[in-house]
Amino acid sequence: MATSTDTGPTGGRYVAEFREFLEETWLGYALILPALILMGVIIIYPTLRGIQLAFFEASLLNPEQQTFVGLQNFAELLGDATFREALWHTVLLTSVAVSLQYLLGLGLALALKEKVPGAGLFRSLSMVTWVLPVIVMVIIFRFLTQSGFGPVNIILDSLGMQTAAWFGRPGVAFPLIVLMHVWRNTPFYAIALMAAMKSIPETQYEAARLDGAGPLQRFRYITLPQISYVSMIMIVLHVIFTFNNFDIIFLSTGGGPLGNTEVLATYIYKQAFQQYAMGYAASIGVVMLIIMMVFTIVYASLEARE
């Protein structure tokens, strides 16, 4: 029996167009292929493997022995008081730290934009907090608040006030964590926002002044809309960084005292490398991934509408 293929006028035209498309674009696809393979190896595969692991009961001590448990890990999260507390601390730390960083950075940017004395020196020194290794920053803060010889306690003692090892005090350790985040990131916000403000043509402010607009009106209707894109990028990136932050908290308090600074990132570490519950730790990671994806999509959509 003879066989036939679609080689009519229409099929032949599609084949010719496809061949022409390949001839024109194969070099471009070939050039990006190494980058795609690299992304697949270091991003896509680990992400998919982590999501898959969340549906298994797996131990770090016996990684080859895995049992499919479906949604059991996620169901256990609902009844895990430590997980709920870590989730609350993570959300609180992210919202407070990022809000303070943005507002303080915006205030500094407005001040530096007006050519105040010492602005150039501040711009030069401001990046020190950003480039300083996290471990050095933690050592500095722990030294400042150290019981006995820390400068903060020396000043408090001279004023007749209570002294203590503040990182070990429930109720104080968490605000210190927030303070370290703000100290580290605020100058970076200020520099980025100031750069965005300097790109606004001065003629717009002059026209607004001629129309009788005051400083608040010029800020509301000229400055704020034109720095909104930079603001969105800064806020989204720092929300993701802070929500996933591990090193500052783990190096300074380890999640203590009494779990007062426990966040999702440190809880994942303890579940994976101290309790060896890799599947349970992966399920917490999936929850973090979903929260961050929802936040990014919602925030970007709201910003696009404006």
Side-chain angles (χ1 to χ4, degrees), residues 251-270:
L251 292 172
S252 58
T253 64
L258 303 176
N260 277 264
T261 61
E262 193 80 84
V263 293
L264 292 177
T266 56
Y267 192 48
I268 287 177
Y269 173 83
K270 291 175 181 176

Side-chain angles (χ1 to χ4, degrees), residues 144 146 148-160 163:
L144 291 173
Q146 185 66 32
F149 57 84
V152 172
N153 280 321
I154 291 175
I155 295 173
L156 293 176
D157 185 57
S158 66
L159 297 174
T163 64

Side-chain angles (χ1 to χ4, degrees), residues 91-154:
V91 173
L92 183 63
L93 171 65
T94 303
S95 56
V96 174
V98 174
S99 299
L100 290 175
Q101 290 163 15
Y102 181 77
L103 293 176
L104 292 174
L106 182 60
L108 280 174
L110 290 170
L112 294 174
K113 180 174 170 290
E114 299 301 327
K115 299 179 181 179
V116 296
L121 179 62
F122 174 80
R123 284 197 294 269
S124 301
L125 296 177
S126 61
M127 297 309 292
V128 171
T129 63
W130 181 256
V131 300
L132 195 70
V134 171
I135 182 62
V136 177
M137 181 190 70
V138 172
I139 290 173
I140 292 173
F141 271 80
R142 288 195 68 92
F143 168 74
L144 291 173
T145 59
Q146 185 66 32
S147 178
F149 57 84
V152 172
N153 280 321
I154 291 175

Side-chain angles (χ1 to χ4, degrees), residues 70-91:
L71 297 175
Q72 181 180 330
N73 288 331
F74 296 97
E76 290 181 7
L77 286 179
L78 297 177
D80 188 341
T82 305
F83 167 76
R84 294 197 300 271
E85 190 174 19
L87 177 60
W88 164 243
H89 289 158
T90 304
V91 173

Side-chain angles (χ1 to χ4, degrees), residues 1-293:
M1 178 182 290
T3 57
S4 63
T5 56
D6 188 4
T7 56
T10 303
R13 180 168 62 87
Y14 288 140
V15 171
E17 289 180 355
F18 182 69
R19 287 177 178 171
E20 183 180 0
F21 174 77
L22 288 180
E23 290 174 357
E24 293 177 352
T25 60
W26 72 269
L27 180 59
Y29 285 113
L31 291 175
I32 66 172
L33 186 60
L36 291 176
I37 295 174
L38 189 63
M39 288 183 60
V41 171
I42 66 175
I43 297 177
I44 298 175
Y45 173 73
T47 303
L48 295 178
R49 183 73 178 96
I51 294 173
Q52 180 201 24
L53 199 58
F55 298 94
F56 285 81
E57 180 180 352
S59 171
L60 184 64
L61 300 178
N62 297 297
E64 70 281 357
Q65 297 180 359
Q66 299 181 7
T67 305
F68 180 75
V69 295
L71 297 175
Q72 181 180 330
N73 288 331
F74 296 97
E76 290 181 7
L77 286 179
L78 297 177
D80 188 341
T82 305
F83 167 76
R84 294 197 300 271
E85 190 174 19
L87 177 60
W88 164 243
H89 289 158
T90 304
V91 173
L92 183 63
L93 171 65
T94 303
S95 56
V96 174
V98 174
S99 299
L100 290 175
Q101 290 163 15
Y102 181 77
L103 293 176
L104 292 174
L106 182 60
L108 280 174
L110 290 170
L112 294 174
K113 180 174 170 290
E114 299 301 327
K115 299 179 181 179
V116 296
L121 179 62
F122 174 80
R123 284 197 294 269
S124 301
L125 296 177
S126 61
M127 297 309 292
V128 171
T129 63
W130 181 256
V131 300
L132 195 70
V134 171
I135 182 62
V136 177
M137 181 190 70
V138 172
I139 290 173
I140 292 173
F141 271 80
R142 288 195 68 92
F143 168 74
L144 291 173
T145 59
Q146 185 66 32
S147 178
F149 57 84
V152 172
N153 280 321
I154 291 175
I155 295 173
L156 293 176
D157 185 57
S158 66
L159 297 174
M161 301 176 67
Q162 180 187 7
T163 64
W166 296 109
F167 274 103
R169 291 290 296 268
V172 181
F174 190 83
L176 284 174
I177 297 291
V178 175
L179 178 62
M180 285 195 289
H181 279 273
V182 174
W183 181 83
R184 181 175 177 79
N185 296 319
T186 295
F188 190 72
Y189 272 89
I191 297 299
L193 294 174
M194 185 182 65
M197 291 177 187
K198 284 186 174 296
S199 66
I200 303 174
E202 190 61 30
T203 53
Q204 295 186 14
Y205 291 108
E206 293 175 359
R209 289 190 188 95
L210 291 175
D211 290 338
L216 288 178
Q217 290 173 311
R218 293 197 296 271
F219 173 76
R220 169 67 181 85
Y221 295 105
I222 298 178
T223 304
L224 206 54
Q226 299 199 48
I227 65 171
S228 62
Y229 184 73
V230 174
S231 299
M232 182 196 73
I233 297 297
M234 296 291 294
I235 289 173
V236 168
L237 288 179
H238 279 85
V239 164
I240 294 173
F241 292 158
T242 308
F243 195 87
N244 294 325
N245 182 259
F246 170 79
D247 48 7
I248 292 178
I249 299 169
F250 189 76
L251 292 172
S252 58
T253 64
L258 303 176
N260 277 264
T261 61
E262 193 80 84
V263 293
L264 292 177
T266 56
Y267 192 48
I268 287 177
Y269 173 83
K270 291 175 181 176
Q271 287 295 323
F273 300 107
Q274 294 180 357
Q275 303 298 324
Y276 308 121
M278 294 297 291
Y280 193 69
S283 65
I284 303 173
V286 170
V287 172
M288 294 178 69
L289 176 66
I290 294 172
I291 293 174
M292 283 297 91
M293 290 182 66

